[in-house]
Amino acid sequence: QVVAVTGTNPRGGVISVRRVVDGLPRPPPPFTNPQAVRILAAAGPYTTEDSLSFDPLKDLLAAAEQHRPSALLLAGPFLDEAHPSISSGELAVPFDEIFAAKVVDTVHAWLDQQRRAGRPVPVVVLCPATSDVHADMTLPQPPMEAKGTDGR
């Protein structure tokens, strides 16, 4: 049986229930947009095993340019703890700075390119994985700070 409750789970082991939600959820409003909604979803890693250049991410954005989605959902890992360059401890740059420069700035540059070319600009959603070293490892995951090196 599936139930819906409102409560907290502060330590991850036991849910402290404040109330049980009764009844079925309301049906969603009817979809009235006559245009098709296109969602392009991808999951990382967006690096190759021997590099943190994020070439697979760039390839994905090139494909998105061809497909022109309404939304682009990018699930992590972006900076996977299992990547040899990360797990070796050899990196001298903080993980959040690598994420900002290699992921966020790349996505922003691509979005700017789409705007300048007069193409539709999709909504972009970044969802970290639990193995992302730059993001909090809690469940459910809080919104991820996704600012580039230029602060936007």
Side-chain angles (χ1 to χ4, degrees):
Q1 179 180 14
V2 177
V3 296
V5 298
T6 302
T8 58
N9 185 3
R11 297 186 187 263
V14 177
I15 296 175
S16 177
V17 176
R18 279 185 261 157
R19 74 179 181 95
V20 176
V21 180
D22 294 348
L24 297 173
R26 293 183 215 181
F31 187 70
T32 58
N33 185 346
Q35 296 179 346
V37 175
R38 296 177 63 111
I39 298 173
L40 179 60
Y46 301 95
T47 58
T48 58
E49 190 164 315
D50 61 343
S51 170
L52 286 175
S53 66
F54 286 85
D55 288 335
L57 176 62
K58 295 170 190 168
D59 293 342
L60 176 67
L61 293 174
E65 187 171 327
Q66 299 300 315
H67 294 284
R68 298 190 181 176
S70 308
L72 181 58
L73 172 61
L74 303 177
F78 297 96
L79 287 173
D80 194 343
E81 65 188 3
H83 191 282
S85 296
I86 293 172
S87 62
S88 69
E90 296 173 0
L91 297 174
V93 180
F95 299 135
D96 57 342
E97 289 181 21
I98 296 170
F99 176 73
K102 296 288 189 169
V103 176
V104 178
D105 287 355
T106 298
V107 172
H108 280 169
W110 180 78
L111 291 170
D112 290 342
Q113 177 186 359
Q114 300 309 298
R115 284 186 195 94
R116 284 192 304 274
R119 295 185 194 105
V121 178
V123 172
V124 178
V125 178
L126 303 177
C127 181
T130 55
S131 62
D132 269 313
V133 294
H134 69 283
D136 294 329
M137 293 176 39
T138 59
L139 291 173
Q141 291 178 329
M144 183 171 56
E145 184 73 24
K147 290 187 179 179
T149 57
D150 62 359
R152 60 181 178 124

